[in-house]
Amino acid sequence: MEFPDLSLISTDTIPASFHGTDISVDVLRIDKIHPVISGNKWFKLFRYLEMADSKKKKRIVSYGGPWSNHIIATAAAARLFGFTSLGIIRGEENGIQTPILERCRQWGMELRFSGREEFDRLALSDKNTQEDDLVIPMGGFGLPGMEGASRILEHCQAAAYSHICCATGTGTMMAGILNSIQPGQSVRGYSAVKNDLQLENNLKQLIAGKAEGYQFSTDKIFGGFAKYNEELIRFMNDLYKASGIPTDIVYTAKLCYAVIRDMREGIFPSDSRILIIHSGGLTGNHSLKNGQLIW
Ligand SMILES: *Cc1c(COP(=O)(O)O)cnc(C)c1O
């Protein structure tokens, strides 16, 4: 397995003929850096892995659901850095098996299922029970994750944009981006998860009340987390045809859809220059039937 290659990051444009407005909208393709440790996952993980290295830890422990992009990225990254790993998976004993968890096992990750109540209580904590373990909270949540994500905008001409739009799960990436913007720029987060209140609390906890200039869009796009329909699949194929940009059903397709909807509805001033963060997640499309997507 190779290390992520940050030189692959590009800035692509969604043509006006596709969105039908005068606003310019670019997409920062951090998804391109690695097939598995993709997009924001690498940015949120690398500080934790450096810490594990310098503290001479042996094992990486982290939390996630059975379809988690974070868990599969953690399994791959731990392997790459030469650590063993343990994934604590949300679900009852011997919970569901998924292609994601299968790949995790192949990379040597030990898996343990944890009931919902216990999982929810522990998943955002970084407390370890064994000396040799470095615990990464779910989604890379926490200051090291945020610090890593604050490096994302270094990979484009960030000063050219008025609005940065990103998808949110734990809010860690959004906190990092908020920490790295210039005065006058703003960040708009599009929630892919159900519990939006928790999201805003998470964000405030990370940025310690410092930042201004952010907004959330928390409408349940296409019915909530990981839900999709024919219209979304059609949008994904049309976007790909128009721009060459592949998206994922959980985060980035809904993000692009909602940003374009908001552009058309006048949510952004007409002289806005929008940057959408393509945070990765293409492994999530494995749950689709073959042939639904044209790429
Ligand atoms: C995990 C993930 C997110 C959520 O990131 P947070 O930092 O947890 O908010 C967004 N987009 C993609 C593609 C992801 O895989």
Side-chain angles (χ1 to χ4, degrees):
M1 190 166 357
E2 310 267 328
F3 271 87
D5 181 355
L6 301 189
S7 73
L8 296 174
I9 297 174
S10 64
T11 305
D12 298 355
T13 298
I14 301 180
S17 56
F18 183 73
H19 56 75
T21 80
D22 293 333
I23 299 174
S24 86
V25 55
D26 288 345
V27 178
L28 184 61
R29 299 285 311 276
I30 61 172
D31 61 297
K32 288 161 89 178
I33 61 176
H34 194 276
V36 179
I37 319 171
S38 154
N40 73 359
K41 297 300 178 279
W42 168 252
F43 283 88
K44 293 191 292 179
L45 283 169
F46 79 87
R47 296 279 299 125
Y48 282 106
L49 292 159
E50 285 172 1
M51 273 165 55
D53 234 5
S54 69
K55 293 181 175 170
K56 308 249 180 308
K57 302 289 188 184
K58 295 207 169 70
R59 186 168 75 161
I60 303 294
V61 180
S62 197
Y63 297 87
W67 289 99
S68 165
N69 296 334
H70 165 73
I71 277 293
I72 191 170
T74 303
R79 170 87 173 225
L80 194 60
F81 277 75
F83 299 111
T84 60
S85 62
L86 168 66
I88 299 173
I89 309 302
R90 190 172 205 257
E92 302 309 326
E93 190 87 23
N94 302 319
I96 66 164
Q97 301 303 317
T98 63
I100 298 280
L101 296 183
E102 193 47 47
R103 300 271 292 282
C104 290
R105 278 201 194 88
Q106 283 164 12
W107 286 317
M109 180 178 255
E110 185 194 334
L111 298 176
R112 197 176 290 161
F113 288 91
S114 162
R116 266 151 211 262
E117 224 170 275
E118 182 194 50
F119 183 94
D120 289 349
R121 187 157 37 81
L122 297 175
L124 289 182
S125 145
D126 61 0
K127 297 268 180 312
N128 62 342
T129 49
Q130 289 186 36
E131 178 90 29
D132 285 342
D133 287 348
L134 183 104
V135 179
I136 304 179
M138 179 171 72
F141 181 71
L143 290 180
M146 178 184 76
E147 269 170 39
S150 71
R151 310 287 294 274
I152 291 173
L153 291 183
E154 290 173 10
H155 298 276
C156 65
Q157 302 290 334
Y161 300 99
S162 57
H163 295 78
I164 320 293
C165 297
C166 68
T168 58
T170 62
T172 311
M173 166 174 60
M174 184 172 171
I177 291 172
L178 260 172
N179 255 355
S180 62
I181 58 170
Q182 304 296 317
Q185 293 181 307
S186 63
V187 181
R188 196 169 159 82
Y190 289 79
S191 174
V193 297
K194 281 182 231 137
N195 191 348
D196 306 312
L197 182 71
Q198 178 81 2
L199 171 63
E200 186 138 17
N201 288 342
N202 289 347
L203 190 84
K204 287 200 172 124
Q205 193 184 324
L206 288 179
I207 58 180
K210 276 179 298 204
E212 290 171 13
Y214 70 86
Q215 291 166 336
F216 280 116
S217 172
T218 53
D219 53 291
K220 303 287 170 294
I221 316 167
F222 296 100
F225 189 69
K227 300 235 169 66
Y228 66 94
N229 60 18
E230 284 305 312
E231 188 190 353
L232 187 67
I233 302 288
R234 203 176 321 120
F235 172 80
M236 292 164 78
N237 284 329
D238 290 347
L239 177 64
Y240 183 76
K241 268 185 237 156
S243 66
I245 301 170
T247 48
D248 79 288
I249 49 169
V250 179
Y251 294 102
T252 53
K254 291 177 180 177
L255 169 66
C256 291
Y257 183 95
V259 170
I260 291 172
R261 176 201 63 197
D262 287 353
M263 287 162 61
R264 291 177 180 153
E265 288 180 1
I267 305 279
F268 299 99
S270 58
D271 59 352
S272 300
R273 296 207 54 191
I274 298 173
L275 181 69
I276 294 177
I277 309 295
H278 192 319
S279 39
L282 296 173
T283 49
N285 291 339
H286 289 326
S287 64
L288 293 175
K289 287 195 287 290
N290 278 344
Q292 282 182 283
L293 298 173
I294 57 174
W295 65 85

